[in-house]
Amino acid sequence: MLQVCLSLFLCSGPSPAQGDCLAIRVGRAETISKGTLEHAVILVEDGKITAIGEDLPIERGVPVLDRPDWVVTPGLVNCRSRAGMDGNAARSFDPEQRASGELYPRQDVWQDLLDAGVTTLGLYPPGSGIPGQAVAVRPRGATAGEMIVEDGVYLQIYIGANPSLKKMLTDAFGKLDEYDEKVKKAREKWDKEQEQKKSKVKSKGKSETEEKKEGQQEEKKEGGEGQAQQEDKKDEGKKDDAKKADSAEAFVPPEPDPKVKPFVDLRDKRLPALMSINKAADYLHLLDAIDKREFLWSLHVPLRDDVDLYEVADKLGEKKVSVVLTPLVTLQPNTRRERNLPAELARAGAKVVLVPRGDGVAEHERWMFDVGRLVAAGLDRQAALAAVTLEAARVLGLEERLGSLDPGKDANLILWSGDPFEPQSRIQAVMLEGKIVSGEVGR
Amino acid sequence: MRMERTAWAGLLSLAWVSAGRAAWALPQEEQGGGEQAEGGGEGEPAEEDENGEERWFAIVGGDVYTGLGGALRGATLLARNGRILEIGRDLLLPEGTEVLDATGMRVYPGLVALDATSRISGGAFGPSLEEEEAEEGIDVHHEAEAGVQEALRALGAAQQETKDEIEDTFDPFSQYLVLALATGITTAEQQNVAVKLKRGEIEGILVCDKFQTSVVWSLSNPSSIKGAREKFAKASEYLRRYRAFEALPEKEKKEQKEPSKKGVDPGFLGILEGKTLARFNASAREELIGIARLAQEYHFRPVISGCQEGWTVAEELGRAGAYAVITPRDRNPKDESLVRPGGTSIENAAILWKSGVQVAIKPSSTAFDLGGITGRDLLALTVEAGFGVRGGLSEEAALQSITLVPARILGCDHRVGTLEVGKDLDAIVTDGDLLHYETFVQYAVVEGKLVYDKEKEIFFAHIRPRPKKPEPPATPETGVEPETDEGEGAGQEETSQDEKGEEGGS
């Protein structure tokens, strides 16, 4: 199948020898999405992967990078980092703030991170409470704009067995409810006005009215989902629709307060949240605070020596929650008994994401080594690979665009001299969106 | 609100039991209607889980020490949704009942620990809060005067804050909580509030209805005694005037001014109203006599912590209806400059009990800590009660001193403290006499959920492991309790249930 695709593509496409086209033939490729491929061939064109498969034939004229000893993995994705940023902040409620505001492109650290294989970073705002939204960047570019892959990728929220943190979140949701109430009232008012207009212009055709009605219903479906209040609104809207006359302009809901807007986005599933907690009890308090509201969220738990997260492993597994963890074997509280929490969570069914132990370059350089220790201690190898690529991309909402070796995805690749978890392996080259940005590859 | 429901459930379940066994076939068919079935004859209180399902739990085959003086050999405790529905032999267990086999073991009510300073919830490291503590908000059924109500309302708000804080910081996975359960403690006082030691849950952990007002009454600080007297006098005077004002006909009421609340301490008002308990910390004979007289003067029941020389004035304390929270192992020599009897006595608990004082026992340290295994902290609560028995306290009274009496002090004896139909199924299963030093808690159950299994926790599993089934259940090493239900007809049936129980437990 792949072969057919490839040859079709090569026949019908523009001359392969020209343009930004490269075939990479390596001993092994870790695709993440489809397991490990031996004797893999990856075709890269215009910054994207266009084909990948075992022993694919390569059309004559396509430049080939032939390294039968090397291993290819997707570029590493660190979804939660403060690398290259130095801002500090206290506990605050600033959900509208964006970490992209403090992005500073001209630093050596970005190239160092590329050298360590990191091709995507999720940079989060400083502080505690609800300090703001993270930005996804590529560690390359002369301006902030060039670096940003996507802004506002998740809302950072700190929560736990702490009355004031819980209150911060419940208050925010309270404000959201207030806003919804406001929208509802505005809608009612608007409906009334429409009715008055209708009584003025009674002679309009029926068919037109019906068209309008459908249009409005669709618009509402887009508007809000999941919320009881929204549902009420819909019902009422339908009733009113029956009598409604057409009008030139559609209903425009009032603009939410900037501090409420992120929660509207959260509710409408346009913005996910990353919830930072410290222990198992915090998870229960988190559930208590969000009170069955449905939105997209992942968890972040910095692992220390005595995290009792295994207590809620089943619950996290059942919900298939993405859990961002530190690659560390920890101890059961009050004991010297080692527990491999990432492995336990992965086994329970949670989506494990691993980030480096710190924000420095050194921690990024030993990142894969740390993850390798977890693999040695029982973490599934494929889960470990996904934890630093595809699952991390999912936390950033970029899983459609990067994180695995699949046709159509960004060509973010690391060319390793051997197994990526092997401490002796070296990164030979790093490709970012089709360009070699680190290492030398003679053709 | 909560209390009301409990009462309801209790009443209705009594009715249920009396309705006879025929009804047992029904439970699965009950519809998940409202909170409480209205009237409907056989209709059951459809008090359900969040999922709308009924949760059945039974502890079978153990010798049940109810905490009221009786022991039922080889009895079954059946609970629905965490409340005890029936206690007896040969009970028919509804389908899907989770069964805990206690054959050859003893079943006691879960212990209640006073003053627990622990790391189970935040902010409860120190002793209780001061005067601010008083009253739990607005009780709609109380017919007190609006003016008094208003005075107490402010305290309710402060109290609510404490409760919220405990709820919002509760750690149901804390290792200290597991240690408490390993001791047999299922309810612990945190900042004057009774907290259920639920595991893995943060909902419904508060069970208190009554609160305490600390009253300082110390001979070493004579002004404290004067101050307390003044506060009682003022509160009492205010109440008297207010009642007189209330008794006036409507017309005159308008003309006269409502009595001023100025200088009246709402906490003391709460004591006189019977809404809060007065809590003293006193040990000297003179202090105790003073408190007893004060209590009789103002008609309230004092709770006295310490109470070391209580045995010398036991009669007075008994007449005052006092609660004593004592530590039998306390050692304090008599003041030799005085002729009168004094100092601590191992017999303190026994003498107080005989004189009608409600005796609660607590260890000298009220922390849960790994540093204190079989020391003088809460992990040695049962050992401490055992010292009461050494001094002559009856075993029943000793059991009540760590279950029912502290539950009364915390105002949660309608839910915990004994094993009775209608109360929560908070029970512990031990391998011997609870007060024996060798005895281990094998299982702990809170609201009909198994929350502790000695074999599955890291702390004590390796010490005298539980004998394996199906070997005949070993008599505990203490040798106190021989097998009693061996020859009974129900044996066969129970064995099959045991197996089920094991499956469910694993």
Side-chain angles (χ1 to χ4, degrees), chain A residues 255-273:
Chain A
E255 192 61 26
D257 184 272
K259 290 205 191 277
V260 176
K261 177 84 170 42
F263 288 89
V264 176
D265 292 345
L266 206 64
R267 199 259 323 275
D268 296 344
K269 297 178 183 172
R270 285 193 295 265
L271 174 68

Side-chain angles (χ1 to χ4, degrees), chain A residues 67 70 428-429 436 438-442:
Chain A
R67 294 289 184 276
W70 288 7
Q428 301 291 350
I436 299 288
S438 169
E440 286 291 318
V441 280

Side-chain angles (χ1 to χ4, degrees), chain B residues 386-398:
Chain B
F387 274 89
V389 176
R390 185 187 179 89
L393 191 64
S394 75
E395 294 209 10
E396 280 313 323

